[in-house]
Amino acid sequence: MNQILVIEDEQRVAELLQTGLEESGYKVIVAADGAVGLRLFFQHSFDLVISDIILPRMGGFELCKEIRQVNAKIPILMLTALGSTDDKLEGFDAGADDYMIKPFDFRELLARVSVLLKRNGQEYPQEPEELVYSDLCINTKAQKVSRGGMAIKLSPKEYELLCYMVENAERVLSRMEITQNVWHTNFDPGTNFIDVYINYLRKKIDKDFDTKLIHTRTGSGFILTNQP
């Protein structure tokens, strides 16, 4: 039985989540603030975390970062009334795997929980210690990126997106493929997330270099190539 940690300070929402998840066969532990949630995370073994963003004592973004420092793999689903693109981007950069806006359809939440748990149970091939394309180099052990010997600082999601593009260099990647393999969901994350992150990468990877590596293929998606 999968065990889920729910961190939610609205009692009605917390009770809805606990009742619905337990009726669906999950074991649930609930915390009403971020500090208690973090303590419970260290005290128990969980398969997934569902957390609000605006929480007493410790906010959801900070909580997410603390969890990611000790567990890079556990799925984290954030629930919030904050619906702007910037809020979502901050959540993903903090280490969240998925994001749902309140009020939400509980059937959709169950579907996303199922996807996240299945993904977490998959075995992935061992990642090479270094990914190289042209003058771009990614040290996967240290998670450090450089181009032409110049260090480049990326957010966690920017790094994950760049790794995926380098692993699939010279191939056009659709927005849906990127959503499935970088955001690990079959659901449309809404707004223009992919385009925003591609733009972030362009500014960091291509801006100071004559040869551009990240290109748009209108109507198809994006490609990493040193050919225009």
Side-chain angles (χ1 to χ4, degrees), residues 127-128 130-140 145-146 154 158-171 173 182 201 205 213-214 222-225:
E127 191 175 38
E130 193 173 67
L131 296 172
V132 178
Y133 182 85
S134 186
D135 58 348
L136 177 66
C137 180
I138 302 173
N139 182 323
T140 60
V145 177
S146 64
L154 300 179
E158 291 167 358
Y159 173 83
E160 192 175 349
L161 174 57
L162 182 63
C163 285
Y164 187 73
M165 295 190 77
V166 173
E167 289 168 347
N168 293 275
E170 305 293 345
R171 186 167 73 82
L173 305 174
V182 178
L201 281 184
I205 300 299
L213 298 180
I214 301 172
F222 307 96
I223 185 171
L224 185 91
T225 177

Side-chain angles (χ1 to χ4, degrees), residues 199-211:
N199 192 42
Y200 285 165
L201 281 184
R202 280 198 176 111
K203 290 179 179 178
K204 295 182 178 182
I205 300 299
D206 284 341
K207 183 179 179 181
D208 297 322
F209 296 89
D210 293 332
T211 301

Side-chain angles (χ1 to χ4, degrees), residues 1-4 15-28 50 105-114 117:
M1 182 183 293
N2 292 119
Q3 182 158 265
I4 298 175
E15 290 175 352
L16 169 68
L17 287 168
Q18 182 170 17
T19 300
L21 289 168
E22 287 179 345
E23 288 177 350
S24 300
Y26 300 107
K27 185 176 180 181
V28 180
I50 299 175
D105 185 317
F106 194 78
R107 293 169 298 179
E108 182 180 354
L109 181 136
L110 283 177
R112 296 199 186 196
V113 165
S114 178
L117 288 171

Side-chain angles (χ1 to χ4, degrees), residues 74-143:
I74 187 168
I76 301 175
L77 171 61
M78 306 203 90
L79 301 176
T80 184
L82 302 175
S84 74
T85 299
D86 287 344
D87 292 323
K88 293 180 182 180
L89 293 174
E90 187 174 355
F92 285 128
D93 282 344
D97 296 283
D98 204 353
Y99 202 111
M100 289 189 70
I101 306 298
K102 297 177 183 178
F104 53 86
D105 185 317
F106 194 78
R107 293 169 298 179
E108 182 180 354
L109 181 136
L110 283 177
R112 296 199 186 196
V113 165
S114 178
V115 167
L116 289 170
L117 288 171
K118 286 179 182 177
R119 188 208 81 195
N120 195 45
Q122 293 176 356
E123 292 187 5
Y124 296 94
Q126 187 172 358
E127 191 175 38
E129 293 187 8
E130 193 173 67
L131 296 172
V132 178
Y133 182 85
S134 186
D135 58 348
L136 177 66
C137 180
I138 302 173
N139 182 323
T140 60
K141 288 276 188 181
Q143 295 194 348

Side-chain angles (χ1 to χ4, degrees), residues 97 115-116 119 122 124 157 160-161 164 171 173-189 194:
D97 296 283
V115 167
L116 289 170
R119 188 208 81 195
Q122 293 176 356
Y124 296 94
K157 220 60 184 179
E160 192 175 349
L161 174 57
Y164 187 73
R171 186 167 73 82
L173 305 174
S174 70
R175 287 171 176 79
M176 183 52 69
E177 181 180 349
I178 292 172
T179 299
Q180 291 172 339
N181 291 280
V182 178
W183 272 261
H184 306 293
T185 177
N186 293 316
F187 302 93
D188 181 0
I194 308 303

Side-chain angles (χ1 to χ4, degrees), residues 3-7 18 22 27-31 40 44 46:
Q3 182 158 265
I4 298 175
L5 173 61
V6 172
I7 309 163
Q18 182 170 17
E22 287 179 345
K27 185 176 180 181
V28 180
I29 296 179
V30 177
L40 288 171
H44 302 270
F46 293 101

